[in-house]
């Protein structure tokens, strides 16, 4: 119990005052304010927030417990999270984790006796090209990324840093750019596409240009972007909302992080054009809690754009207004699912909703909403400036334009590469990434929810239709490369651990299926009789009966491996 006159209570009430008059939708930023200040969110903080936001205390505890970056009891004043997902695992994350624990005299999941450090292993931090990676939270200061891990720097309190590794065949999104900082507004330019849209085009004409380009969502679902915008514009009910999904959290996926870190104004311009097209005056950018650098640079860019009149009230004297709010996630992969993301913004646990209805009519706060990911919105300014035919000069009839791919694992130059759809996987690995390190054994396409390819399949063209034809997927563009030194059973074990950890538990097929799948994958080297059939049954059940995409794809990589390498599953 905190004394009513204690400095802690005074500080709590001062923090809560920033959210006075607001409702449940302010819960996530309010929890972050307390978590950062105190290192945990204790009973007194919950009581103060309950009174300030008019939310039952039980609901607040439910939200705290949902996110892995929130704590309801004291942890170390410095929390060090070491990523052990596949790419970091290949790069020695387990060794780094245990070395760190040995130096501090603790164990994974433990806190040092003096309360200074807590060390945890965690799932993907989105820094796969710099693996192994760590995320450090310091009480009163917030989060910092360390990639690759530098234990001496972490323990000395030195700042972490990383630069984007980029390459481009088309030089549209990723051209001659510094990778150690964000592009400034002066370098980016005067939001020419937004100015053109506001002065020369009706909203319907903006949508027509996007439809003409053939652009489909770049987050993995590949739904036609112009069609989504059209549905939302025509949907009854006000207000309309635009939401940018910047919560990429799947192992092997980090392309949006690079865009956020080096081209924030490109995203903001695409966001503003979308809002104008669908009739929205409020936009949200929901960004991973594990991306502190991207968050900081994005907020700086928003301030620049508002000061220049490209965001805010009456933009450029057009009568169109747009307010942009950044919402920071707190460690939950499921919040990358669009309806779970809405729930998170609304201050609830990030549980997926049953669809239909779809977000175009019943999205954020039950209102018509467009939700696009970062890469999709970044393609919009170019299409408005140059037209749909310009965008269609790349790709195929069914897979138009350009795409970012995030390559990690055993290649000479892991990083984010901009490609015209239709180039071969071999070209990406050999010409852009400098070749495979060692002898290629397997490529995991589309991230942890993707499928494996064998070396003889890498001449496949990177298009939606070509990959579908061989039973694979482009997904969000994650490409993870494994040479012949890798035990693929260990990769599958890490994937199984990821999905078991990230299942939200709302539906039983996923909740129970990911747990049983992990248990079988953990004993894959010494299987029990019947395990192969159990894995197949579990995978089929999750695929066909889970509520959302997480459960429906949680067994994809495992089932793919069973087809490609049946010898790995002898029992």
């Amino acid at each position: 119990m905190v004394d009513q006159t204690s400095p802690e209570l005074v500080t709590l009430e001062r923090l809560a005052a920033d959210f006075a008059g607001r409702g449940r939708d302010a819960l996530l930023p309010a929890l972050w304010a307390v978590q950062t200040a105190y290192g945990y969110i204790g009973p007194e903080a919950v009581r103060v927030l309950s009174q300030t936001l008019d939310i039952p205390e039980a609901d607040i505890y439910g939200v705290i417990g949902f996110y892995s970056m929130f704590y309801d009891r004291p942890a170390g004043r410095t929390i060090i999270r070491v990523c052990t997902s596949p790419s970091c695992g290949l790069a020695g994350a387990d060794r780094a984790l245990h070395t760190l624990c040995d130096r501090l005299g603790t164990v994974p999941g433990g806190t040092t006796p003096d309360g200074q450090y807590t060390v945890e292993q965690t799932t993907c931090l989105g820094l796969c090209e710099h693996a192994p990676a760590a995320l450090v939270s310091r009480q009163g200061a917030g989060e910092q990324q360390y990639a690759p891990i530098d234990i001496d720097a972490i323990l000395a309190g030195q700042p972490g840093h990383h630069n984007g590794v980029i390459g481009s065949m088309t030089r549209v999104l990723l051209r001659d750019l510094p990778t150690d900082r964000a592009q400034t507004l002066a370098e980016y330019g005067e939001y020419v596409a937004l100015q053109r849209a506001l002065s020369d085009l009706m909203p319907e004409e903006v949508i027509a240009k996007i439809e003409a380009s053939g652009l489909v969502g770049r987050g993995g679902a590949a739904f036609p972007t112009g069609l989504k915008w059209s549905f939302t514009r025509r949907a009854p009910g006000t207000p309309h909302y635009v939401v940018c999904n910047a919560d990429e959290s799947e192992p092997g996926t980090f392309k949006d992080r690079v865009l956020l870190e080096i081209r924030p104004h490109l995203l903001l311009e695409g966001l503003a054009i979308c809002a104008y097209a669908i009739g929205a005056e409020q936009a949200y950018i929901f960004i991973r809690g594990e991306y502190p650098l991207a968050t900081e640079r994005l907020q700086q860019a928003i301030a620049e754009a508002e000061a220049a009149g490209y965001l805010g009230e009456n933009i450029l004297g057009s009568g169109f207004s747009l307010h942009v709010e950044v919402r920071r996630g707190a460690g939950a992969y499921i919040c990358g699912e669009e309806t779970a993301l809405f729930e998170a913004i609304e201050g609830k646990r990030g549980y997926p909703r049953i669809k239909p209805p779809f977000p175009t009519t019943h999205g954020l706060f039950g209102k018509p909403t467009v939700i696009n990911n970062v890469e999709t919105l970044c393609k919009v300014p170019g299409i408005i400036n140059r037209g749909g035919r310009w965008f269609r000069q790349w790709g195929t009839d069914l897979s138009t334009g350009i795409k970012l791919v995030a390559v990690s694992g055993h290649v000479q130059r892991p990083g984010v590469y901009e490609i015209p759809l239709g180039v071969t996987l071999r070209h990406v690995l050999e010409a852009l990434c400098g070749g495979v390190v060692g002898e290629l054994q397997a490529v995991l396409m589309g991230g942890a929810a993707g499928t494996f390819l064998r070396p003889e399949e890498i001449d496949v063209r990177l298009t939606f239709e070509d990959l579908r034809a061989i039973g694979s997927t482009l997904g969000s563009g994650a490409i993870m490369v494994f040479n012949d030194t890798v035990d693929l059973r260990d990769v599958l074990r890490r994937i199984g651990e990821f999905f078991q950890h990230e299942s939200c538990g709302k539906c039983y097929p996923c909740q129970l299926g990911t747990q049983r799948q992990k248990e079988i994958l953990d004993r894959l080297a010494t299987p029990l009789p019947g395990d192969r059939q159990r894995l197949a049954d579990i995978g089929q059940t999750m695929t066909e009966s889970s509520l959302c995409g997480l459960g429906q794809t949680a067994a994809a990589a495992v089932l793919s491996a069973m087809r490609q390498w049946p010898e790995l599953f002898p029992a």
Side-chain angles (χ1 to χ4, degrees), residues 129 165-168 174 254-255 258 404-407 414-418:
E129 79 273 46
V165 179
I166 62 173
S168 176
L174 303 178
F254 51 90
K255 64 182 176 57
V258 171
L404 299 188
V405 292
V407 187
V416 175
Y417 295 92
E418 183 177 53

mmCIF file of all heavy atoms in Angstrom, residues 129 165-168 174 254-255 258 404-407 414-418:
data_model
loop_
_atom_site.group_PDB
_atom_site.id
_atom_site.type_symbol
_atom_site.label_atom_id
_atom_site.label_comp_id
_atom_site.label_asym_id
_atom_site.label_seq_id
_atom_site.Cartn_x
_atom_site.Cartn_y
_atom_site.Cartn_z
ATOM 1 N N GLU A 129 18.289 -9.021 -39.333
ATOM 2 C CA GLU A 129 19.487 -8.813 -40.160
ATOM 3 C C GLU A 129 20.707 -8.467 -39.326
ATOM 4 O O GLU A 129 21.818 -8.427 -39.839
ATOM 5 C CB GLU A 129 19.218 -7.733 -41.220
ATOM 6 C CG GLU A 129 19.281 -6.298 -40.743
ATOM 7 C CD GLU A 129 17.975 -5.752 -40.183
ATOM 8 O OE1 GLU A 129 17.333 -6.461 -39.388
ATOM 9 O OE2 GLU A 129 17.624 -4.600 -40.530
ATOM 10 N N VAL A 165 20.119 -2.141 -43.308
ATOM 11 C CA VAL A 165 20.887 -2.690 -44.428
ATOM 12 C C VAL A 165 19.918 -2.806 -45.590
ATOM 13 O O VAL A 165 18.963 -3.582 -45.534
ATOM 14 C CB VAL A 165 21.475 -4.074 -44.075
ATOM 15 C CG1 VAL A 165 22.241 -4.635 -45.267
ATOM 16 C CG2 VAL A 165 22.368 -3.977 -42.848
ATOM 17 N N ILE A 166 20.124 -2.001 -46.622
ATOM 18 C CA ILE A 166 19.139 -1.942 -47.695
ATOM 19 C C ILE A 166 19.803 -2.117 -49.057
ATOM 20 O O ILE A 166 21.003 -1.908 -49.233
ATOM 21 C CB ILE A 166 18.365 -0.608 -47.688
ATOM 22 C CG1 ILE A 166 19.313 0.576 -47.931
ATOM 23 C CG2 ILE A 166 17.616 -0.437 -46.383
ATOM 24 C CD1 ILE A 166 18.586 1.902 -48.091
ATOM 25 N N GLY A 167 18.987 -2.501 -50.037
ATOM 26 C CA GLY A 167 19.406 -2.595 -51.422
ATOM 27 C C GLY A 167 18.180 -2.471 -52.299
ATOM 28 O O GLY A 167 17.063 -2.718 -51.850
ATOM 29 N N SER A 168 18.351 -2.054 -53.547
ATOM 30 C CA SER A 168 17.186 -1.838 -54.390
ATOM 31 C C SER A 168 17.489 -2.103 -55.848
ATOM 32 O O SER A 168 18.543 -1.719 -56.355
ATOM 33 C CB SER A 168 16.686 -0.399 -54.229
ATOM 34 O OG SER A 168 15.606 -0.153 -55.102
ATOM 35 N N LEU A 174 13.415 2.598 -51.622
ATOM 36 C CA LEU A 174 14.759 2.570 -51.042
ATOM 37 C C LEU A 174 15.748 3.068 -52.081
ATOM 38 O O LEU A 174 16.251 2.306 -52.889
ATOM 39 C CB LEU A 174 15.116 1.145 -50.596
ATOM 40 C CG LEU A 174 14.164 0.498 -49.594
ATOM 41 C CD1 LEU A 174 14.612 -0.932 -49.284
ATOM 42 C CD2 LEU A 174 14.072 1.306 -48.306
ATOM 43 N N PHE A 254 10.993 -7.747 -40.959
ATOM 44 C CA PHE A 254 11.524 -6.495 -40.411
ATOM 45 C C PHE A 254 11.561 -5.370 -41.434
ATOM 46 O O PHE A 254 12.133 -4.321 -41.185
ATOM 47 C CB PHE A 254 12.922 -6.716 -39.830
ATOM 48 C CG PHE A 254 13.894 -7.414 -40.757
ATOM 49 C CD1 PHE A 254 14.703 -6.689 -41.619
ATOM 50 C CD2 PHE A 254 14.009 -8.789 -40.759
ATOM 51 C CE1 PHE A 254 15.608 -7.324 -42.459
ATOM 52 C CE2 PHE A 254 14.906 -9.446 -41.599
ATOM 53 C CZ PHE A 254 15.717 -8.707 -42.461
ATOM 54 N N LYS A 255 10.909 -5.553 -42.578
ATOM 55 C CA LYS A 255 10.975 -4.531 -43.634
ATOM 56 C C LYS A 255 10.284 -3.233 -43.232
ATOM 57 O O LYS A 255 10.765 -2.137 -43.565
ATOM 58 C CB LYS A 255 10.357 -5.067 -44.914
ATOM 59 C CG LYS A 255 8.856 -5.359 -44.772
ATOM 60 C CD LYS A 255 8.238 -5.932 -46.022
ATOM 61 C CE LYS A 255 6.782 -6.304 -45.800
ATOM 62 N NZ LYS A 255 5.924 -5.213 -45.343
ATOM 63 N N VAL A 258 12.430 -0.911 -41.133
ATOM 64 C CA VAL A 258 13.410 -0.124 -41.884
ATOM 65 C C VAL A 258 12.739 1.094 -42.513
ATOM 66 O O VAL A 258 13.282 2.210 -42.474
ATOM 67 C CB VAL A 258 14.089 -1.014 -42.944
ATOM 68 C CG1 VAL A 258 14.947 -0.177 -43.880
ATOM 69 C CG2 VAL A 258 14.926 -2.088 -42.265
ATOM 70 N N LEU A 404 9.109 -5.168 -51.090
ATOM 71 C CA LEU A 404 10.253 -5.280 -50.198
ATOM 72 C C LEU A 404 10.325 -6.695 -49.656
ATOM 73 O O LEU A 404 9.301 -7.262 -49.246
ATOM 74 C CB LEU A 404 10.150 -4.298 -49.030
ATOM 75 C CG LEU A 404 10.110 -2.806 -49.348
ATOM 76 C CD1 LEU A 404 10.197 -1.993 -48.059
ATOM 77 C CD2 LEU A 404 11.232 -2.410 -50.297
ATOM 78 N N VAL A 405 11.515 -7.255 -49.662
ATOM 79 C CA VAL A 405 11.721 -8.558 -49.026
ATOM 80 C C VAL A 405 12.765 -8.395 -47.926
ATOM 81 O O VAL A 405 13.717 -7.622 -48.062
ATOM 82 C CB VAL A 405 12.160 -9.641 -50.036
ATOM 83 C CG1 VAL A 405 11.037 -9.955 -50.995
ATOM 84 C CG2 VAL A 405 13.420 -9.227 -50.783
ATOM 85 N N ALA A 406 12.555 -9.093 -46.830
ATOM 86 C CA ALA A 406 13.477 -9.061 -45.692
ATOM 87 C C ALA A 406 14.202 -10.398 -45.644
ATOM 88 O O ALA A 406 13.580 -11.427 -45.411
ATOM 89 C CB ALA A 406 12.709 -8.814 -44.399
ATOM 90 N N VAL A 407 15.499 -10.365 -45.875
ATOM 91 C CA VAL A 407 16.276 -11.602 -45.975
ATOM 92 C C VAL A 407 17.176 -11.736 -44.748
ATOM 93 O O VAL A 407 17.930 -10.810 -44.417
ATOM 94 C CB VAL A 407 17.122 -11.625 -47.255
ATOM 95 C CG1 VAL A 407 17.787 -12.998 -47.418
ATOM 96 C CG2 VAL A 407 16.280 -11.292 -48.477
ATOM 97 N N PRO A 414 22.527 -9.999 -45.201
ATOM 98 C CA PRO A 414 21.129 -9.937 -44.773
ATOM 99 C C PRO A 414 20.641 -8.487 -44.780
ATOM 100 O O PRO A 414 21.409 -7.565 -44.473
ATOM 101 C CB PRO A 414 21.175 -10.487 -43.339
ATOM 102 C CG PRO A 414 22.499 -11.153 -43.199
ATOM 103 C CD PRO A 414 23.425 -10.477 -44.139
ATOM 104 N N GLY A 415 19.380 -8.280 -45.122
ATOM 105 C CA GLY A 415 18.868 -6.913 -45.137
ATOM 106 C C GLY A 415 17.515 -6.838 -45.821
ATOM 107 O O GLY A 415 16.863 -7.854 -46.080
ATOM 108 N N VAL A 416 17.097 -5.605 -46.121
ATOM 109 C CA VAL A 416 15.833 -5.357 -46.813
ATOM 110 C C VAL A 416 16.130 -4.952 -48.250
ATOM 111 O O VAL A 416 16.916 -4.030 -48.481
ATOM 112 C CB VAL A 416 15.020 -4.262 -46.106
ATOM 113 C CG1 VAL A 416 13.757 -3.922 -46.899
ATOM 114 C CG2 VAL A 416 14.635 -4.716 -44.701
ATOM 115 N N TYR A 417 15.491 -5.630 -49.200
ATOM 116 C CA TYR A 417 15.760 -5.389 -50.612
ATOM 117 C C TYR A 417 14.455 -5.084 -51.345
ATOM 118 O O TYR A 417 13.434 -5.752 -51.123
ATOM 119 C CB TYR A 417 16.453 -6.604 -51.240
ATOM 120 C CG TYR A 417 17.820 -6.831 -50.641
ATOM 121 C CD1 TYR A 417 17.985 -7.678 -49.545
ATOM 122 C CD2 TYR A 417 18.933 -6.165 -51.132
ATOM 123 C CE1 TYR A 417 19.230 -7.858 -48.960
ATOM 124 C CE2 TYR A 417 20.186 -6.341 -50.566
ATOM 125 C CZ TYR A 417 20.327 -7.189 -49.481
ATOM 126 O OH TYR A 417 21.563 -7.352 -48.904
ATOM 127 N N GLU A 418 14.531 -4.089 -52.209
ATOM 128 C CA GLU A 418 13.385 -3.703 -53.020
ATOM 129 C C GLU A 418 13.514 -4.373 -54.385
ATOM 130 O O GLU A 418 14.511 -4.161 -55.085
ATOM 131 C CB GLU A 418 13.364 -2.184 -53.176
ATOM 132 C CG GLU A 418 12.175 -1.651 -53.932
ATOM 133 C CD GLU A 418 12.211 -0.132 -53.973
ATOM 134 O OE1 GLU A 418 13.242 0.449 -54.388
ATOM 135 O OE2 GLU A 418 11.226 0.486 -53.558
#
